[in-house]
Amino acid sequence: MLSLAIFAVYRQTLVAFDLLSVSSMSSSQILALSCPDRPGIVAAVTGLLQSAGGNITEAQQYNDPQSDMFFMRVAFDIDDPLAFRGAFDTLSKSFNMDWRLRDASRAKRVLILVSKFDHCLVDLLYRTRLGELDMDIVGIVSNHPRDALRISNLHGAPFYHLPITKSTKADQEARIDALIEETDTEIVVLARYMQILSDDLTHRLIGRCVNIHHSFLPGFKGARPYHQAHRRGVKMIGATAHFVTPDLDEGPIIVQGVEPITHADTAARLVAKGRSIEQRVLSRAVKALIEDRVFLNGARTVVFD
Amino acid sequence: MLSLAIFAVYRQTLVAFDLLSVSSMSSSQILALSCPDRPGIVAAVTGLLQSAGGNITEAQQYNDPQSDMFFMRVAFDIDDPLAFRGAFDTLSKSFNMDWRLRDASRAKRVLILVSKFDHCLVDLLYRTRLGELDMDIVGIVSNHPRDALRISNLHGAPFYHLPITKSTKADQEARIDALIEETDTEIVVLARYMQILSDDLTHRLIGRCVNIHHSFLPGFKGARPYHQAHRRGVKMIGATAHFVTPDLDEGPIIVQGVEPITHADTAARLVAKGRSIEQRVLSRAVKALIEDRVFLNGARTVVFD
Amino acid sequence: MLSLAIFAVYRQTLVAFDLLSVSSMSSSQILALSCPDRPGIVAAVTGLLQSAGGNITEAQQYNDPQSDMFFMRVAFDIDDPLAFRGAFDTLSKSFNMDWRLRDASRAKRVLILVSKFDHCLVDLLYRTRLGELDMDIVGIVSNHPRDALRISNLHGAPFYHLPITKSTKADQEARIDALIEETDTEIVVLARYMQILSDDLTHRLIGRCVNIHHSFLPGFKGARPYHQAHRRGVKMIGATAHFVTPDLDEGPIIVQGVEPITHADTAARLVAKGRSIEQRVLSRAVKALIEDRVFLNGARTVVFD
Amino acid sequence: MLSLAIFAVYRQTLVAFDLLSVSSMSSSQILALSCPDRPGIVAAVTGLLQSAGGNITEAQQYNDPQSDMFFMRVAFDIDDPLAFRGAFDTLSKSFNMDWRLRDASRAKRVLILVSKFDHCLVDLLYRTRLGELDMDIVGIVSNHPRDALRISNLHGAPFYHLPITKSTKADQEARIDALIEETDTEIVVLARYMQILSDDLTHRLIGRCVNIHHSFLPGFKGARPYHQAHRRGVKMIGATAHFVTPDLDEGPIIVQGVEPITHADTAARLVAKGRSIEQRVLSRAVKALIEDRVFLNGARTVVFD
């Protein structure tokens, strides 16, 4: 454990060093913010960027007339991101902003939790290697041993077998929690991890933990959704990627996908078809998350494509 | 009422006359059947057709391993459909078949029930005129007066204003029921008819009455589903065409459709987007029904495309 | 002709009066602009809006790294739109902007051209009446007489029968051109108008004239695309809404849609399925156009959803 | 080479042995046939099945009114498949049938050709291991060396590096051809194999060789289709799985798929999005092929879902 803690400190030092080292050349940054809506936000943000020599390469905003909240994502190039960070910190206070600013070239640190159904894991790893998903997989956790997974090569991602029983549930979760701390995990992906996280951990991960549910929520909550769908005789099945919250299967939805089925599809075929949908939906949600495109908006989300 | 009754008799006479008159030339027929599965059904049916000089133009079958039921639809040309009907009647008994045989050139008689939301009615009428839907609209019933509908021209379809109040509900339904009888209605379409039919009428219409529900069932049952969908923050909305049963919103599903939405879609925009989906889904279900492509299979359906 | 000319003058007076009359109360405006990309555009535009007391309700921008062009659409509320217009005119010059600013509450003036295939016209009219399409249909032109259309009620839109023969083609187009002038038409919709406009008229309408092509371009250019698709044995068919340019079927694409088909779909069924796709695709394109969401970007378009 | 030839003989012996060994117990068989259409085919086939004690579990047929050809696929259980095979052989002659009959439990032998783009290979291997694709991968051929592929584990499938240059093209193809012979390959899958097969080999593989083309054919034939699509500014991209024929990119289409894109998608993002579509489309086509669901019908296909 000590070594992991030291590693985390080392990592943070690197991050700080990163921020310093880039200060002398142009850097790509991503700013994501939300705040109560009021006139002048876009002008203030883009005005500050302009005066700091920033050049916007992509920008999106949305104001929700119902919650009266404002959401904005700006990608920009700038010579002195540290100076901008300081100036923006001041500005953010006057608008009561919740915000993140980061170097776009630094991949997000992602921890993947999985059971023995590993099709989503396989897909996430392959897309990461292709460069489609720009993320740093700091670990793969499973409650099953390594050889319960079909996948043969984790490509260097550390694997943690953290078995779980009724009596060890709290312990196991504490180890996950420690792992999140030690690896500076920014995003936790439940890639068909069939265990329920505690309310406490869920609370601390709000807005950072995504789950793939194998149904088109809110239909077919609970267990064995494809079998439920087959029994109900629906003509389309789907999958839902959502933020994890203490309310099981009620978390804010990020991405959904569906495919048509027919009367001739058995429950087993629905499971097979569903795997493709789950892969597609989860990878889209993870991509949106690691690119800072997803915002919590009460029980809903804002997702900037 | 008397005149309607006479009209119905006249109509039945015509139907009988039709059957006689076509007996001397080749006729296109559609046979739809279901029965407990067992070996030899297809051979028996196609063998009988072959010996009767029939020529199959389209055939589909499905045996459900769960319900152990067999479903078949055959379209064929035959010189003497009446003789085949007699022979098939005998055959059907030995297989305990539930079956329908009809002249493909005769349009089905359809009664459409509507409230003041008439987008589905508009779509059904237009597709009927284009020839996409080959049906005989024997009447349009609304609980609102004619001028509550936006549509300007019903193209000759009789309009019946049958208002409803709590105290007249039973009466009003009796009038619908009488209309179904008098017009020899084969299919009843609830094209956004916002009233609930009684269990008794529903029972008698089982397998013949289709409703369009403005949600992707089983999600968002009940009232104002688009507003429910908006509150839940789903990323796709849909519509469901289903057989009407006494269990509200639980009828066997015939067709479903969805479209993606985003955080920027207000509830009002969901309603607008939903209208297109409802039109598309209901017209597909009606087309399948009037072409004898839909079979009840317990709580589910078999739909032969 | 004189009366039409007078009517056009009257109309322009009304527009001018509109602009004056709204100057004393808050008004919703839409600003659409494009210009060569360079740092500071967003800051300049939103800064000017902020200092003029404008409140942004929706904003989107995109800079194309290939063409190095910048595109922006801003919807905002403002008390004095005329003052802002003046100030923006000055600003726009320094950025070499191509721009439009208009009162969001004023419906765009749209002229629809149609042959005897009227399914798209039917759909556009119905969506207009529902309020989904906020447009002022200033006229419907057909080269066929009124009774060649199936639609029974044009709901007050003036109908112009402008027949065309080889020898009268230039004359007929001159009359269309005059109609566009006299009615102050802003958008011309070719809703399955089977005639080819001259290069000259096409040039003058660039960015303002949309056509629905009944194939998934660039596949199946030219005549009878559904029959081409059937012969080629594709498994999906589609439709394309595009800006009209002198290069037939090569105009910048605005919206495309597809649907799956099977081997069992005859060419006639493709035509029928295609009608639904055409309706959906054209109405989405028209909606984007009348809401100033579409920008020309060389041979391509930018479409802000 | 000798050993491969011996292995092939051994394999065929096993196949013959298979056929013998199953003759004493119920066996699942798949019959796929096509022939000129005429009355009585279904009755003859199902009648023979019935008299041979077969039990149909799935059946589909289609008669193409244009080519006047009939297509049928029947899955059935039977105690004595060898006896049925003999009887069917006789029957088939009287209908001039082209047919295949095989034990459903025996996986088809598939050879996969690939360049260094291995996303489709990865997907095919994973689905095979999951049991979604029931096939026996007899080999993987690449013109690039093993380490040019990203995939780390071929799970026992033999890998053949067959490099190609202009001068060795004929030789290389001869080696592929020999491999097909020696391994008794039934289906050849070009899983992004960027080389063109000779007319001669193509001819001999007609109906047995599938290619994935990374565009929605017939749009964007030829090289770099995603770049073509980007330049043309289409709003949807797709992929096409088709039979390989001497006419490049003109082979009969089996499966197509599309996804929406926007102006903001760069050519690089189209390539990335396209990979998912290619995987999905190719795996669906391969599944249909190994389950004997695909029939050639002139320049088109019949695909029974």
Side-chain angles (χ1 to χ4, degrees):
Chain A
M1 282 307 188
L2 187 64
S3 61
L4 268 176
I6 288 174
F7 177 69
V9 169
Y10 168 69
R11 220 161 181 156
Q12 282 166 345
T13 317
L14 279 182
V15 171
F17 187 72
D18 262 8
L19 290 173
L20 289 168
S21 66
V22 295
S23 65
S24 60
M25 43 179 285
S26 179
S27 151
S28 290
Q29 300 280 318
I30 294 172
L31 172 66
L33 65 90
S34 63
C35 62
D37 194 21
R38 68 174 226 218
I41 307 173
V42 180
V45 173
T46 57
L48 183 65
L49 263 169
Q50 164 71 353
S51 65
N55 186 24
I56 297 175
T57 54
E58 192 185 342
Q60 285 144 307
Q61 54 271 330
Y62 172 66
N63 55 320
D64 181 359
Q66 271 180 310
S67 65
D68 242 326
M69 289 294 288
F70 176 84
F71 305 87
M72 187 175 194
R73 179 188 187 273
V74 196
F76 58 95
D77 297 328
I78 201 162
D79 284 342
D80 188 347
L82 275 188
F84 176 75
R85 178 181 288 270
F88 189 79
D89 189 41
T90 308
L91 175 77
S92 72
K93 289 186 173 75
S94 66
F95 285 94
N96 202 15
M97 286 173 181
D98 189 12
W99 61 285
R100 298 188 298 273
L101 174 65
R102 69 178 187 88
D103 192 323
S105 68
R106 185 183 62 70
K108 284 226 165 154
R109 287 181 294 276
V110 175
L111 184 72
I112 302 177
L113 276 58
V114 68
S115 68
K116 57 189 168 183
F117 302 111
D118 67 352
H119 52 280
C120 284
L121 173 65
V122 165
D123 188 68
L124 292 172
L125 285 171
Y126 188 71
R127 288 181 200 262
T128 303
R129 291 168 65 213
L130 280 179
E132 261 178 61
L133 295 177
D134 182 24
M135 62 188 187
D136 176 8
I137 301 174
V138 297
I140 295 165
V141 171
S142 179
N143 53 325
H144 294 277
R146 174 67 185 84
D147 58 12
L149 300 183
R150 289 171 187 274
I151 189 170
S152 52
N153 193 328
L154 300 179
H155 296 281
F159 178 82
Y160 303 91
H161 176 211
L162 302 182
I164 191 166
T165 63
K166 262 184 197 168
S167 61
T168 64
K169 189 169 167 53
D171 266 10
Q172 193 249 18
E173 196 176 281
R175 294 183 64 188
I176 294 175
D177 205 0
L179 206 50
I180 293 171
E181 283 299 305
E182 289 151 7
T183 56
D184 255 342
T185 285
E186 294 169 286
I187 306 283
V188 174
V189 179
L190 308 191
R192 296 295 309 268
Y193 180 65
M194 312 302 281
Q195 304 297 320
I196 297 169
L197 303 184
S198 71
D199 283 11
D200 178 55
L201 182 56
T202 302
H203 258 118
R204 273 178 297 124
L205 291 178
I206 268 186
R208 298 168 50 203
C209 180
V210 58
N211 180 49
I212 180 74
H213 191 275
H214 43 321
S215 91
F216 190 71
L217 289 175
F220 310 125
K221 298 176 192 176
R224 290 167 60 89
Y226 293 122
H227 291 76
Q228 291 185 52
H230 186 252
R231 259 198 310 279
R232 180 62 184 88
V234 291
K235 298 300 185 187
M236 291 184 129
I237 54 166
T240 304
H242 62 90
F243 279 127
V244 175
T245 59
D247 289 327
L248 201 63
D249 299 344
E250 293 289 342
I253 293 170
I254 303 170
V255 177
Q256 295 191 294
V258 293
E259 271 186 30
I261 57 169
T262 78
H263 57 264
D265 284 305
T266 58
R269 278 185 62 171
L270 297 196
V271 171
K273 282 196 174 183
R275 276 192 291 259
S276 287
I277 314 174
E278 292 162 34
Q279 291 178 325
R280 207 159 68 238
V281 165
L282 182 59
S283 71
R284 281 181 53 204
V286 169
K287 187 171 176 62
L289 277 167
I290 60 179
E291 294 180 354
D292 289 298
R293 295 179 183 278
V294 188
F295 298 76
L296 265 173
N297 181 21
R300 303 188 295 144
T301 63
V302 170
V303 182
F304 290 132
D305 278 333
Chain B
M1 283 306 187
L2 188 65
S3 61
L4 268 177
I6 288 174
F7 177 68
V9 169
Y10 168 69
R11 226 166 173 148
Q12 282 166 343
T13 316
L14 279 184
V15 171
F17 187 73
D18 262 8
L19 289 173
L20 289 168
S21 64
V22 295
S23 65
S24 59
M25 43 180 284
S26 178
S27 152
S28 291
Q29 300 280 317
I30 294 171
L31 171 65
L33 65 90
S34 63
C35 62
D37 194 21
R38 68 174 227 218
I41 307 173
V42 179
V45 172
T46 58
L48 184 66
L49 262 171
Q50 165 72 353
S51 65
N55 187 25
I56 297 175
T57 53
E58 192 184 342
Q60 286 145 306
Q61 55 272 331
Y62 172 66
N63 55 319
D64 181 358
Q66 272 182 310
S67 65
D68 242 327
M69 289 295 287
F70 176 84
F71 305 87
M72 187 175 195
R73 180 187 186 274
V74 196
F76 58 95
D77 296 328
I78 201 161
D79 284 343
D80 190 346
L82 275 187
F84 176 76
R85 178 181 289 269
F88 188 79
D89 190 40
T90 307
L91 175 77
S92 73
K93 289 187 173 75
S94 66
F95 284 94
N96 202 15
M97 285 172 181
D98 189 13
W99 61 284
R100 296 188 300 273
L101 175 65
R102 68 177 187 87
D103 191 323
S105 68
R106 184 183 62 69
K108 284 225 165 153
R109 288 181 294 277
V110 176
L111 185 71
I112 303 177
L113 275 59
V114 67
S115 68
K116 56 190 168 183
F117 301 110
D118 67 352
H119 52 281
C120 285
L121 173 65
V122 165
D123 189 67
L124 293 173
L125 284 171
Y126 187 70
R127 289 182 200 261
T128 303
R129 291 168 64 213
L130 280 179
E132 263 178 59
L133 296 177
D134 182 24
M135 63 186 186
D136 176 9
I137 301 174
V138 297
I140 296 164
V141 171
S142 178
N143 55 325
H144 294 277
R146 175 66 184 84
D147 58 12
L149 300 182
R150 288 171 186 275
I151 190 169
S152 51
N153 192 329
L154 301 179
H155 297 281
F159 179 83
Y160 305 91
H161 176 211
L162 302 182
I164 191 165
T165 63
K166 264 184 196 169
S167 61
T168 64
K169 188 168 168 54
D171 266 11
Q172 194 250 17
E173 196 176 280
R175 294 183 66 188
I176 294 175
D177 205 0
L179 206 51
I180 292 171
E181 282 301 304
E182 288 151 8
T183 57
D184 255 340
T185 285
E186 296 169 285
I187 305 284
V188 175
V189 179
L190 308 191
R192 297 295 308 268
Y193 180 65
M194 313 301 281
Q195 304 297 319
I196 297 169
L197 302 184
S198 72
D199 284 11
D200 177 55
L201 181 56
T202 302
H203 258 118
R204 274 180 294 126
L205 291 178
I206 268 185
R208 297 168 49 205
C209 180
V210 58
N211 180 49
I212 180 75
H213 191 274
H214 42 321
S215 91
F216 191 73
L217 288 175
F220 310 125
K221 298 176 191 174
R224 290 167 60 89
Y226 293 122
H227 291 76
Q228 290 185 54
H230 186 252
R231 258 198 310 278
R232 180 63 184 87
V234 290
K235 298 300 186 187
M236 289 184 130
I237 55 165
T240 304
H242 63 89
F243 279 127
V244 175
T245 58
D247 289 326
L248 201 64
D249 299 345
E250 293 289 344
I253 293 170
I254 303 170
V255 177
Q256 295 190 293
V258 294
E259 271 186 31
I261 57 169
T262 77
H263 57 263
D265 283 306
T266 58
R269 278 185 62 171
L270 297 195
V271 171
K273 283 195 174 183
R275 276 192 292 258
S276 287
I277 314 175
E278 293 163 33
Q279 291 178 326
R280 209 158 66 238
V281 165
L282 182 59
S283 72
R284 280 182 53 203
V286 169
K287 186 171 178 62
L289 277 167
I290 60 178
E291 295 180 354
D292 289 298
R293 295 178 184 278
V294 189
F295 299 75
L296 264 173
N297 181 21
R300 303 187 295 144
T301 63
V302 171
V303 182
F304 291 133
D305 278 333
Chain C
M1 283 305 186
L2 187 65
S3 61
L4 268 176
I6 289 174
F7 176 68
V9 170
Y10 167 69
R11 222 162 178 154
Q12 282 166 343
T13 317
L14 279 183
V15 171
F17 187 72
D18 263 8
L19 289 173
L20 288 168
S21 65
V22 295
S23 65
S24 59
M25 43 178 285
S26 179
S27 152
S28 291
Q29 300 280 317
I30 295 171
L31 171 65
L33 65 90
S34 63
C35 63
D37 194 21
R38 67 172 228 219
I41 306 173
V42 179
V45 172
T46 57
L48 184 65
L49 263 170
Q50 164 72 353
S51 65
N55 186 24
I56 297 175
T57 53
E58 191 184 342
Q60 286 144 307
Q61 55 270 332
Y62 171 66
N63 54 319
D64 181 359
Q66 272 181 310
S67 66
D68 243 327
M69 289 293 290
F70 175 84
F71 305 87
M72 185 175 195
R73 180 188 186 271
V74 196
F76 57 95
D77 297 328
I78 200 162
D79 283 342
D80 189 347
L82 275 187
F84 176 76
R85 178 181 288 270
F88 189 80
D89 189 40
T90 307
L91 175 77
S92 72
K93 289 187 174 74
S94 66
F95 285 94
N96 202 15
M97 285 173 181
D98 190 12
W99 61 284
R100 298 187 298 273
L101 174 66
R102 69 177 187 87
D103 191 324
S105 67
R106 184 183 63 69
K108 283 227 166 153
R109 287 181 295 277
V110 175
L111 185 71
I112 302 177
L113 276 58
V114 69
S115 68
K116 57 189 169 184
F117 302 109
D118 67 352
H119 52 280
C120 284
L121 174 65
V122 165
D123 188 67
L124 292 173
L125 284 171
Y126 187 70
R127 289 183 200 261
T128 303
R129 290 168 64 212
L130 280 179
E132 261 178 61
L133 295 177
D134 181 24
M135 63 189 185
D136 175 9
I137 301 174
V138 296
I140 295 164
V141 171
S142 178
N143 54 324
H144 295 276
R146 175 66 185 85
D147 58 13
L149 300 182
R150 288 171 187 275
I151 189 170
S152 51
N153 193 328
L154 300 178
H155 296 282
F159 178 83
Y160 304 90
H161 176 211
L162 302 182
I164 192 166
T165 63
K166 264 183 197 170
S167 62
T168 64
K169 188 169 168 54
D171 266 11
Q172 193 250 17
E173 196 175 279
R175 294 183 65 188
I176 293 174
D177 205 1
L179 206 51
I180 292 170
E181 282 299 304
E182 289 152 8
T183 57
D184 256 340
T185 285
E186 295 169 287
I187 306 282
V188 175
V189 179
L190 308 191
R192 295 295 307 267
Y193 180 65
M194 312 301 281
Q195 304 297 319
I196 297 169
L197 303 184
S198 71
D199 284 12
D200 178 55
L201 181 56
T202 302
H203 259 118
R204 275 178 295 126
L205 291 178
I206 269 185
R208 297 168 49 203
C209 180
V210 59
N211 181 49
I212 180 75
H213 190 274
H214 42 322
S215 91
F216 190 72
L217 289 174
F220 310 124
K221 298 176 191 174
R224 291 168 58 89
Y226 293 122
H227 292 75
Q228 291 184 53
H230 185 252
R231 259 198 309 280
R232 180 63 184 89
V234 292
K235 299 299 186 186
M236 291 185 128
I237 55 166
T240 304
H242 63 90
F243 279 127
V244 175
T245 59
D247 289 325
L248 201 63
D249 300 344
E250 293 289 344
I253 294 170
I254 303 170
V255 177
Q256 295 190 293
V258 294
E259 272 186 30
I261 58 169
T262 78
H263 58 264
D265 283 305
T266 58
R269 278 185 62 172
L270 297 195
V271 171
K273 282 196 175 182
R275 276 192 291 259
S276 287
I277 314 174
E278 293 163 34
Q279 291 178 325
R280 206 158 70 237
V281 165
L282 182 59
S283 72
R284 281 181 52 203
V286 168
K287 187 171 177 63
L289 277 167
I290 61 179
E291 294 180 355
D292 289 298
R293 296 180 184 276
V294 188
F295 298 75
L296 265 173
N297 181 20
R300 303 187 294 144
T301 63
V302 170
V303 182
F304 291 133
D305 278 334
Chain D
M1 280 308 188
L2 187 65
S3 62
L4 268 177
I6 288 174
F7 177 68
V9 169
Y10 169 67
R11 221 162 180 154
Q12 281 166 345
T13 317
L14 279 184
V15 170
F17 186 72
D18 262 10
L19 289 173
L20 289 168
S21 66
V22 294
S23 65
S24 60
M25 43 179 284
S26 179
S27 151
S28 291
Q29 300 281 316
I30 293 171
L31 172 65
L33 65 90
S34 62
C35 63
D37 194 21
R38 67 173 227 218
I41 307 173
V42 179
V45 172
T46 58
L48 184 65
L49 263 170
Q50 164 72 353
S51 65
N55 186 24
I56 297 175
T57 53
E58 191 184 342
Q60 286 144 307
Q61 55 272 330
Y62 172 66
N63 55 319
D64 181 358
Q66 272 182 310
S67 65
D68 243 327
M69 289 294 288
F70 176 84
F71 305 87
M72 186 174 194
R73 180 187 187 274
V74 196
F76 57 95
D77 297 329
I78 201 162
D79 283 342
D80 189 346
L82 274 187
F84 176 75
R85 178 182 289 269
F88 189 79
D89 189 39
T90 308
L91 175 76
S92 72
K93 288 185 175 76
S94 65
F95 284 94
N96 203 15
M97 285 173 180
D98 189 13
W99 61 284
R100 297 188 299 272
L101 174 66
R102 67 177 187 88
D103 191 325
S105 68
R106 184 184 63 70
K108 284 226 165 154
R109 287 181 294 279
V110 176
L111 184 71
I112 302 177
L113 275 60
V114 68
S115 67
K116 55 189 170 184
F117 302 110
D118 67 352
H119 52 280
C120 284
L121 173 66
V122 165
D123 189 67
L124 292 173
L125 285 171
Y126 187 71
R127 289 183 201 261
T128 303
R129 290 169 64 212
L130 280 180
E132 262 178 59
L133 296 178
D134 182 24
M135 63 187 185
D136 175 9
I137 301 174
V138 297
I140 296 164
V141 171
S142 179
N143 54 325
H144 294 276
R146 174 67 184 84
D147 58 12
L149 300 182
R150 289 171 187 274
I151 190 169
S152 51
N153 192 328
L154 300 179
H155 296 282
F159 179 82
Y160 303 91
H161 176 211
L162 302 182
I164 191 165
T165 63
K166 262 183 197 169
S167 61
T168 65
K169 188 169 167 55
D171 266 11
Q172 194 249 18
E173 196 176 279
R175 293 184 64 188
I176 293 175
D177 205 0
L179 206 51
I180 291 172
E181 282 301 303
E182 288 151 7
T183 56
D184 255 341
T185 286
E186 296 169 286
I187 306 284
V188 175
V189 178
L190 308 191
R192 296 296 307 269
Y193 180 64
M194 313 300 281
Q195 303 297 319
I196 297 169
L197 303 184
S198 71
D199 283 11
D200 178 55
L201 181 57
T202 302
H203 258 118
R204 275 180 294 127
L205 291 178
I206 269 186
R208 298 168 49 204
C209 180
V210 58
N211 181 49
I212 180 75
H213 190 275
H214 42 321
S215 91
F216 190 73
L217 289 175
F220 310 124
K221 298 175 191 174
R224 290 168 59 88
Y226 294 122
H227 291 76
Q228 290 185 52
H230 185 251
R231 258 197 311 279
R232 181 62 184 89
V234 291
K235 298 300 185 187
M236 290 185 130
I237 55 165
T240 304
H242 63 90
F243 278 128
V244 175
T245 59
D247 289 326
L248 201 65
D249 299 344
E250 292 290 343
I253 294 169
I254 303 170
V255 176
Q256 296 191 292
V258 294
E259 272 186 29
I261 58 169
T262 78
H263 57 264
D265 284 306
T266 58
R269 279 185 61 171
L270 297 196
V271 171
K273 283 196 173 182
R275 276 191 292 257
S276 287
I277 314 175
E278 293 163 33
Q279 291 178 325
R280 207 158 68 237
V281 165
L282 182 59
S283 71
R284 281 182 52 204
V286 169
K287 186 172 178 62
L289 277 166
I290 61 179
E291 294 180 353
D292 288 298
R293 296 179 183 277
V294 189
F295 298 75
L296 264 173
N297 181 22
R300 304 187 293 144
T301 64
V302 171
V303 183
F304 291 133
D305 277 333

